[in-house]
Amino acid sequence: MAPVNPRSFLESRGREAFRERLATGAGYVVPDGLLDIAAQSLALRVPLLVEGEPGCGKTAFAEALAQAFELPMYYLQCMEGYGIGDML
C-alpha cells in the first residue's frame, strides 16, 4: 500500500473515519481529547507537539499514526539543555 496523507484523509472522510483508521490500521484507540487536538493541528496545518510524563503514550500515538497511514517514523529525543549541535 502507498502512504496516505492524514490531513487529506481527515478532510475528505472526517474525524470518525480518522479514528477508525487508527484503530484498524494500528490497533490504537485514540482518546477523544487527543483526537480533537490532532484533528485541529492537521486542519490548521500546524505542528503538533506532544509532551508528557514518561509512559503516558506520546510515542504510541506517533507510532500508531505512522503505521495507520503508512508513513515513516522518526524519533527525536529532546532534553533540556541540549541544542541541535549536540544532536548531530
Side-chain angles (χ1 to χ4, degrees):
M1 291 177 108
V4 176
N5 183 317
R7 180 181 296 119
S8 299
F9 185 91
L10 181 64
E11 289 172 353
S12 65
R13 300 190 186 177
R15 289 169 28 102
E16 290 308 312
F18 188 83
R19 179 194 305 271
E20 184 65 23
R21 178 84 180 220
L22 286 169
T24 59
Y28 185 82
V29 179
V30 62
D32 289 335
L34 182 54
L35 178 64
D36 293 340
I37 292 168
Q40 283 181 329
S41 175
L42 288 167
L44 295 173
R45 299 176 181 261
V46 296
L48 175 61
L49 174 63
V50 181
E51 60 181 355
E53 297 295 320
C56 72
K58 301 175 299 288
T59 302
F61 174 65
E63 289 173 340
L65 190 62
Q67 182 180 347
F69 291 93
E70 300 180 35
L71 300 169
M73 176 74 187
Y74 300 98
Y75 291 90
L76 175 63
Q77 182 68 42
C78 299
M79 292 182 278
E80 189 174 336
Y82 281 103
I84 191 70
D86 299 314
M87 296 180 205
L88 299 177

